[in-house]
Amino acid sequence: MTTSATTSTTPDTPTTHTAPLAVRGPLVRFRADPFRTGNAAALEHEPDGLLICADGRITAAGPYAALRDRLPAGTEPVHYPGHLITAGFVDAHTHYVQMEAVAAFGAELPDWLDHTYVAEERFADGAHARRVAASFCDELLRNGTTTALAFAAVYPDSADALFEEATRRGMRIAAGKVLMDRNAPDALLDTAQRAYDESAALIQRWHGTGRNLYAITPRFAPASTPDQLEAARALHAAHPTTLVHTHIAEHPDEIPWVRSLFPDRDGYLDVYDHYGLLGPRTVLAHGIHLTAAERDRCARTGTAVAHCPSSNLYLGSGLFPLREAKEGDHPLTVALGTDIGAGTSFALLQTMRDAHRVAKLRGYALDAVKAFYLATRGGAEALGLAGTIGSLTPGQEADFTVLDPRATPLLADRTSRAEDIEDLLFALCILGDDRTVRATYTAGRRAYDRDAATPFGAG
Ligand code: GUN
Ligand code: ZN
């Protein structure tokens, strides 16, 4: 296999030059990881907050009373009284090419994958890819998600389509064409060399272009030969600021399968480790059945796990040990993923609810402060973007979501009796969904307004 080294782009790109924007209303954000510091030290709640934004970034954030004098002349804040402003949600694992495979009937992962392969084959058609990419991005915004780490199909065009549609909406997307050269239908297979060449061309085109980031995306160890994983290693070594995105230890049957395919390796995680694919820009989806030693190795290498509870419940894959992952001697970086289309909702709010349910089935009550953290700043940390998005601090990109605690009669009734901010957040987690998202802002522009006629671009 031939490889070519290229200089990597630094992905730190304020892109849109927009008019100043100010948004006023109750605001929550995270100073730290509440699993480490406790909730009180981590959560900042401003009952009457103000965000001032210019050129796609936050220039000031804090109490309205303290910041009102800093409003640029002529800038009237968009006011959301009785709502809640949060950092835009980060979906740390999803498949845009599986949007049409959602709610496919099937048994557990191995059978279900056959449904999704049929859906992915349709992305050989570029027009289909563009149509689905547009709906996928609209659906993210409707659910308050401003950043996603997504699988495309094996066809490079399918990745182009997603980057183009996300760019039109000012979103921050990390994505890559999937790599697979065995154990899948022939139409979906590439080779080690094609994986390298096509990914390298996409990296050149998209990584650090606007807000886009490239993720080197081997599907999972069983679908790649050692040669292809070697190609992934070479790509990441040549472009070290790219992300690495794959699956691990989702279904119990994967573990003996990986052992039989990689007899020289010491387990599933060791396959990725051997090929240099662990590190602070790596996101492994699921990780339900990782051993404690494997979780420890993830923590030591800075490798993140995307917990996808809606998918895990739908496929019956198992119950992720969140408490063990976050509270052991070496806590892991954990984020939340929807895993569309095995996951059944685009809403990070519903994903938080499912994370609560899964944790409870393991005897752990996940509170809403920690759940919101996982869906915002935790996601930013998993993607290596903690300095850039996820906590609504000055200098960060202006991605935020406005939630409506009165979006449905039941939610209105429950939140009218909320005892404090933690209780309000909990009601939003358990009862919230796409209807709860009043507006979504990307790079300082309103990209979705629930109450406006058009799906995006209203502001
Ligand atoms: N493991 C390998 N591929 C996939 C996929 O597309 N979805 C899920 N949930 N798990 C996988
Ligand atoms: Zn997945």
Side-chain angles (χ1 to χ4, degrees):
M1 191 187 65
T2 56
T3 60
S4 64
T6 334
T7 318
S8 293
T9 328
T10 302
D12 180 24
T13 40
T15 50
T16 40
H17 296 280
T18 51
L21 167 84
V23 176
R24 178 181 175 191
L27 188 149
V28 284
R29 55 184 175 164
F30 290 93
R31 290 189 201 98
D33 178 347
F35 289 94
R36 294 180 190 218
T37 63
N39 291 352
L43 180 72
E44 200 174 323
H45 171 223
E46 183 49 62
D48 185 12
L50 183 66
L51 293 175
I52 306 176
C53 313
D55 290 335
R57 291 190 186 273
I58 296 168
T59 55
Y64 175 76
L67 295 178
R68 60 192 299 176
D69 293 344
R70 290 177 50 189
L71 282 166
T75 301
E76 186 61 34
V78 185
H79 196 189
Y80 293 103
H83 288 63
L84 193 67
I85 304 167
T86 166
F89 295 130
V90 178
D91 185 344
H93 174 68
T94 184
H95 301 247
Y96 104 82
V97 290
Q98 293 180 13
M99 190 167 173
E100 295 185 339
V102 82
F105 183 78
E108 298 184 3
L109 178 69
D111 290 339
W112 183 86
L113 277 177
D114 292 336
H115 287 286
T116 196
Y117 289 147
V118 174
E120 291 188 25
E121 283 184 30
R122 291 202 283 272
F123 285 76
D125 171 5
H128 176 76
R130 244 146 276 270
R131 241 184 349 264
V132 177
S135 338
F136 179 83
C137 291
D138 286 345
E139 201 57 19
L140 292 177
L141 293 172
R142 256 177 26 76
N143 283 278
T145 299
T146 51
T147 289
L149 172 59
F151 272 59
V154 71
Y155 318 105
D157 279 6
S158 69
D160 289 326
L162 180 60
F163 285 126
E164 283 163 15
E165 293 302 326
T167 302
R168 289 186 59 217
R169 291 160 179 78
M171 306 170 75
R172 199 174 244 295
I173 289 285
K177 94 170 204 104
V178 72
L179 314 182
M180 41 184 172
D181 64 350
R182 63 170 161 177
N183 291 320
D186 287 349
L188 289 177
L189 297 181
D190 57 4
T191 62
Q193 188 69 54
R194 261 185 62 202
Y196 189 92
D197 294 343
E198 292 175 354
S199 303
L202 287 165
I203 290 168
Q204 213 61 52
R205 197 143 64 240
W206 293 110
H207 185 55
T209 304
R211 305 189 75 199
N212 302 297
L213 297 173
Y214 197 81
I216 297 164
T217 308
R219 183 170 211 116
F220 65 157
S224 288
T225 60
D227 278 356
Q228 189 170 67
L229 292 177
E230 186 56 45
R233 178 227 296 269
L235 272 168
H236 191 47
H239 306 279
T241 61
T242 55
L243 282 81
V244 174
H245 185 199
T246 187
H247 297 90
I248 195 165
E250 174 182 4
H251 190 281
D253 292 353
E254 284 174 63
I255 290 152
W257 193 20
V258 170
R259 276 202 185 278
S260 72
L261 292 169
F262 297 90
D264 297 339
R265 303 274 62 87
D266 187 20
Y268 204 155
L269 187 78
D270 190 50
V271 173
Y272 298 139
D273 206 352
H274 177 77
Y275 290 100
L277 296 174
L278 303 185
R281 292 175 196 271
T282 296
V283 179
L284 306 176
H286 305 295
I288 302 167
H289 307 289
L290 288 171
T291 64
E294 287 176 318
R295 287 199 303 270
D296 191 64
R297 178 74 184 141
C298 287
R300 287 175 191 277
T301 54
T303 302
V305 170
H307 172 31
C308 307
S310 138
S311 163
N312 301 160
L313 292 168
Y314 183 68
L315 293 180
S317 302
L319 305 173
F320 179 70
L322 179 62
R323 176 174 21 197
E324 292 82 344
K326 288 300 294 179
E327 294 183 355
D329 287 345
H330 299 283
L332 268 177
T333 303
V334 177
L336 291 181
T338 61
D339 196 25
I340 293 290
T344 50
S345 170
F346 274 78
L348 263 299
L349 286 170
Q350 290 189 302
T351 308
M352 292 183 223
R353 176 202 65 189
D354 288 340
H356 177 84
R357 291 175 171 171
V358 165
K360 218 170 218 174
L361 287 167
R362 295 188 61 103
Y364 172 53
L366 172 66
D367 65 62
V369 173
K370 296 184 182 71
F372 262 80
Y373 165 80
L374 293 174
T376 54
R377 186 169 167 152
E381 282 169 4
L383 272 59
L385 293 172
T388 310
I389 55 167
S391 37
L392 299 182
T393 49
Q396 287 207 339
E397 295 170 354
D399 290 349
F400 47 90
T401 293
V402 183
L403 301 176
D404 177 2
R406 290 186 297 271
T408 66
L410 181 62
L411 192 58
D413 178 62
R414 172 63 176 83
T415 58
S416 72
R417 291 179 285 102
E419 290 166 12
D420 53 24
I421 185 64
E422 292 203 25
D423 194 33
L424 177 72
L425 290 173
F426 190 66
L428 288 166
C429 279
I430 301 301
L431 301 175
D433 55 29
D434 53 345
R435 294 167 295 181
T436 315
V437 175
R438 171 72 179 77
T440 307
Y441 289 76
T442 57
R445 283 185 68 242
R446 193 167 58 199
Y448 166 70
D449 182 345
R450 184 192 64 191
D451 299 344
T454 50
F456 83 97

